[in-house]
């Protein structure tokens, strides 16, 4: 029995020491964070989590350090992961607020608005959250207006292209008709040329026939010789 108790005490002491090491990294990270050394603060928070993976404080602070470094997507994932295990209402409100900020920075306006709403459900009078949500709503409206204008511009562009295609088709049709008319004229000219040649042949034949007749008449005419 005494041996079991000793083992339990050793385990307890180890756990306390382990926990103290984890908290030490958090404290060191907090000092770095306050000094604006967010990258080093991140390193300390991660070291703390290596000691105690589900440490809410270390995760929360890690999310803040990532956010300060502009790693908004990674920070948002940290906040989302710790929401289910957060029981404290005040902390949960802050997490939703920070999640909304990280989404806002990524221009995920609808998602950020939903996060701010969750935060305000817990703390309805939080001025910062209200302000940020109002800003996100304005940005969402502007984005929708831009999309609508872009859709309108695209429609006008498509309409113009279709009009140009119709005009081009009409022009091609007119060009084809002109070409056909030209071909018909050329064909008629050819026929006319053939008729002229045929007429010339007939005229030449008539002339030859006439000459032959005149020759025959002269041959049959006797000329009296003067003595």
């Amino acid at each position: 029995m005494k041996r079991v108790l000793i083992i339990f005490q050793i385990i307890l002491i180890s756990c306390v020491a382990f926990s103290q090491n984890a908290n030490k990294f958090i404290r060191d990270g907090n000092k770095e964070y306050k000094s604006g050394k967010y990258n080093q603060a991140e390193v300390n928070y991660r070291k703390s989590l290596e000691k105690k993976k589900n440490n809410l404080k270390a995760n929360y602070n890690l999310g803040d350090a990532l956010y300060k470094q502009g790693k908004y997507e990674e920070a948002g994932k940290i906040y989302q992961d710790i929401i289910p295990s957060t029981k404290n209402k005040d902390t949960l409100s802050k997490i939703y607020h920070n999640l909304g900020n990280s989404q806002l920075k990524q221009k995920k306006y609808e998602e950020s608005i939903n996060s701010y709403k969750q935060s305000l459900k817990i703390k309805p009078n939080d001025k910062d959250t209200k302000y940020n949500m109002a800003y996100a709503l304005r940005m969402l409206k502007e984005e929708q207006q831009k999309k609508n204008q872009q859709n309108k511009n695209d429609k006008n562009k498509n309409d113009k292209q279709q009009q140009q295609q119709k005009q081009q088709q009409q022009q091609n049709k007119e060009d084809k008709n002109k070409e056909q008319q030209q071909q018909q004229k050329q064909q008629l000219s050819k026929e006319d040329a053939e008729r002229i040649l045929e007429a010339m042949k007939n005229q030449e034949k008539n002339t030859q026939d006439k000459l032959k007749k005149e020759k025959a008449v002269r041959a049959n005419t006797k000329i009296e010789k003067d003595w």
Side-chain angles (χ1 to χ4, degrees):
M1 182 68 180
K2 188 179 288 186
R3 186 178 177 184
V4 174
L5 183 60
I6 292 171
I7 294 173
F8 177 77
Q9 288 175 340
I10 292 171
I11 293 172
L12 182 62
I13 292 170
S14 298
C15 290
V16 171
F18 199 75
S19 177
Q20 286 177 345
N21 287 334
N23 290 332
K24 180 181 180 302
F25 284 122
I26 293 176
R27 289 194 299 270
D28 291 342
N30 291 345
K31 289 177 183 178
E32 300 292 352
Y33 186 92
K34 288 178 181 178
S35 299
K37 299 176 182 178
Y38 305 117
N39 181 56
Q40 189 57 44
E42 176 192 346
V43 172
N44 281 302
Y45 295 140
R46 289 191 185 279
K47 286 181 179 179
S48 177
L49 289 169
E50 288 175 5
K51 301 290 183 181
K52 192 176 180 181
K53 184 178 180 181
N54 296 323
N55 189 306
L56 177 62
K57 192 172 183 180
N59 276 300
Y60 179 86
N61 291 358
L62 175 61
D64 289 350
L66 291 169
Y67 180 89
K68 287 292 187 180
Q69 295 176 77
K71 301 176 182 179
Y72 305 120
E73 185 176 358
E74 195 173 351
K77 188 176 184 308
I78 295 290
Y79 295 135
Q80 286 178 323
D81 288 344
I82 61 177
I83 284 173
S85 59
T86 304
K87 306 301 180 184
N88 183 278
K89 295 280 188 177
D90 186 63
T91 302
L92 188 59
S93 175
K94 290 177 181 177
I95 293 172
Y96 274 119
H97 175 91
N98 291 355
L99 175 59
N101 289 347
S102 66
Q103 292 165 335
L104 182 61
K105 287 291 187 179
Q106 297 175 74
K107 297 183 179 180
K108 297 178 179 179
Y109 301 123
E110 288 189 35
E111 292 179 29
S112 68
I113 291 166
N114 289 333
S115 295
Y116 292 136
K117 284 181 179 179
Q118 291 299 323
S119 179
L120 289 170
K121 283 181 181 179
I122 302 169
K123 292 180 68 176
N125 298 321
D126 189 278
K127 292 182 179 179
D128 290 339
T129 305
K130 284 183 177 181
Y131 176 85
N132 289 5
M133 189 172 78
Y135 177 79
L137 286 166
R138 185 168 76 250
M139 295 305 295
L140 177 62
K141 184 178 179 181
E142 289 181 5
E143 184 183 67
Q144 290 173 340
Q145 288 175 342
K146 286 180 181 179
K147 284 183 179 179
N148 291 337
Q149 184 62 42
Q150 185 62 45
N151 291 337
K152 186 178 179 180
N153 292 340
D154 291 343
K155 185 179 183 302
N156 291 337
K157 185 177 179 180
N158 291 336
D159 291 344
K160 187 176 181 180
Q161 288 177 343
Q162 290 178 356
Q163 183 64 26
Q164 289 176 341
Q165 288 176 352
K166 287 181 180 179
Q167 290 176 349
Q168 186 62 44
Q169 289 173 353
Q170 183 63 29
Q171 185 64 42
N172 292 340
K173 186 177 181 180
E174 292 177 0
D175 292 343
K176 187 176 181 180
N177 290 336
K178 287 181 181 178
E179 185 179 353
Q180 289 176 346
Q181 291 174 359
Q182 187 66 27
Q183 289 176 350
Q184 289 175 355
K185 286 182 180 179
Q186 290 175 354
Q187 187 175 1
L188 289 172
S189 298
K190 185 178 178 181
E191 291 175 355
D192 290 342
E194 289 177 351
R195 282 198 295 271
I196 291 170
L197 287 173
E198 186 66 25
M200 290 175 66
K201 285 180 183 178
N202 292 334
Q203 186 177 1
E204 180 66 22
K205 184 180 178 184
N206 292 334
T207 300
Q208 292 294 331
D209 291 343
K210 186 176 180 181
L211 288 173
K212 284 180 182 178
K213 287 180 180 179
E214 288 179 353
K215 245 174 156 187
V217 170
R218 284 199 299 271
N220 294 327
T221 301
K222 293 181 179 180
I223 300 175
E224 292 181 1
K225 188 176 177 181
D226 294 333
W227 294 94

